[in-house]
Amino acid sequence: MKLFYREFGHGEPLLILHGLFGSCDNWNSLAKQFGEDYHVFVIDQRNHGLSEHSNEWNYEVMAKDIADFCEQHNLQKINLLGHSMGGKVAMFFSQKHAHLLNKLIVVDISPRYYPPHHHAVLDALQSILPERYESRKLIEEEFNKTTLDFGTKQFLLKNIYWKENADGTKQMAWRFNLPVIVENIENVGQALPDAEPFLGDTVFIRGEKSKYITDVDFENINIHFPKAFVKTIADANHWVQAEKPKEFYEMTMDFLRA
């Protein structure tokens, strides 16, 4: 699997994994900041962004993708940061590839099972056939008729692009592999399996207003990650790094430097 990535800075490697429907571009500003101290690789995961599409899509293969990426780039003892789906990928990676991992940063996701809860987003995405539209503006106007909140709409619309066909014609399309994501959406909620715990330094960063990591999750977190602690960023929701970038950067850097 060939993964697209952007690269910043020099030093110890820091790999960043986006969440569902995201891409490496969501992290550019923070990645440049982290790049002042670390060698940062911001990765598009399979079926997202500019990375290859595949019919196989689950945490096991996505974790292996990151291990293969490390081998391809001769990276050892990486620091790994993942948000939401990317955080779950990072947790799966820690179980199978702990020898490659230095410090682990998991953002607003816990090891537990999450029931499917993306129905509104998937319904909205499937209601739009980008190839039928002549401009992004027309798609945006149609998308605004859905019940999604403004922030979610803008986040998803970043995935619209002009796709060049084999015959040289162009059409609008989603960058993510929507059919495969729809077919396998239950995989996103998968719990971290029972396995040997990851004994390295670990931090879970959550948004105060988010429900993805609750106090009830602490016990389960510590079973899988005995050295983990949970840090909370005030007045932040699930997209904590976008809503509170300064606080998120400082909290992450404090952990990495410790």
Side-chain angles (χ1 to χ4, degrees):
M1 173 61 61
K2 185 177 181 180
L3 299 180
F4 178 82
Y5 66 97
R6 299 194 189 280
E7 189 175 0
F8 304 91
H10 299 87
E12 290 182 25
L14 170 62
L15 276 59
I16 299 178
L17 308 178
H18 62 77
L20 182 63
F21 300 119
S23 73
C24 64
D25 288 346
N26 303 144
W27 285 86
N28 276 348
S29 295
L30 278 166
K32 290 175 182 177
Q33 284 185 277
F34 289 131
E36 296 175 4
D37 298 277
Y38 292 89
H39 191 180
V40 180
F41 297 84
V42 198
I43 298 170
D44 280 346
Q45 300 189 78
R46 67 167 60 200
N47 293 324
H48 288 76
L50 294 173
S51 286
E52 293 181 358
H53 287 186
S54 168
N55 290 329
E56 193 174 15
W57 188 62
N58 55 59
Y59 286 123
E60 286 81 3
V61 296
M62 286 191 282
K64 186 178 184 302
D65 287 343
I66 304 308
D68 292 343
F69 184 91
C70 290
E71 182 178 354
Q72 293 160 10
H73 295 269
N74 196 28
L75 301 176
Q76 298 179 0
K77 290 300 178 182
I78 65 169
N79 301 294
L80 185 58
L81 185 161
H83 170 248
S84 197
M85 179 191 78
K88 193 67 77 75
V89 173
M91 287 186 258
F92 273 74
F93 180 90
S94 76
Q95 288 190 334
K96 294 289 184 67
H97 310 285
H99 63 287
L100 294 174
L101 190 53
N102 181 28
K103 292 189 175 185
L104 178 64
I105 303 147
V106 179
V107 185
D108 216 57
I109 196 79
S110 81
R112 66 176 158 92
Y113 167 76
Y114 292 83
H117 56 281
H118 299 94
H119 301 302
V121 170
L122 294 177
D123 289 345
L125 290 171
Q126 290 179 290
S127 73
I128 303 292
L129 299 176
E131 64 271 18
R132 296 185 178 180
Y133 297 84
E134 297 180 354
S135 71
R136 186 183 184 280
K137 181 175 176 58
L138 291 174
I139 293 177
E140 186 171 357
E141 290 175 354
E142 193 66 26
F143 213 50
N144 282 336
K145 297 176 184 178
T146 68
T147 59
L148 301 179
D149 63 84
F150 177 79
T152 300
K153 291 174 186 174
Q154 293 303 303
F155 172 73
L156 294 170
L157 285 168
K158 291 178 181 178
N159 287 281
I160 288 289
Y161 78 112
W162 282 104
K163 176 184 178 181
E164 186 168 348
N165 299 315
D167 61 1
T169 61
K170 292 185 178 182
Q171 64 184 40
M172 304 291 283
W174 296 113
R175 285 207 180 276
F176 42 68
N177 189 348
L178 184 58
V180 167
I181 290 174
V182 170
E183 184 179 352
N184 296 278
I185 193 62
E186 289 194 9
N187 290 340
V188 175
Q190 183 182 348
L192 190 66
D194 292 334
E196 289 294 318
F198 174 65
L199 302 179
D201 292 335
T202 305
V203 63
F204 284 71
I205 300 176
R206 64 175 178 170
E208 180 186 30
K209 295 181 177 180
S210 174
K211 302 301 182 185
Y212 275 79
I213 299 179
T214 68
D215 293 353
V216 177
D217 292 315
F218 290 5
E219 181 179 356
N220 188 26
I221 287 172
N222 285 316
I223 290 172
H224 292 284
F225 306 95
K227 294 182 68 175
F229 56 95
V230 179
K231 302 286 286 184
T232 304
I233 295 183
D235 200 34
N237 286 292
H238 184 53
W239 285 280
V240 55
Q241 72 279 4
E243 296 175 12
K244 298 289 182 178
K246 181 176 182 294
E247 293 85 347
F248 179 82
Y249 171 78
E250 291 175 352
M251 187 175 288
T252 302
M253 287 300 296
D254 286 346
F255 170 72
L256 289 171
R257 288 169 173 164

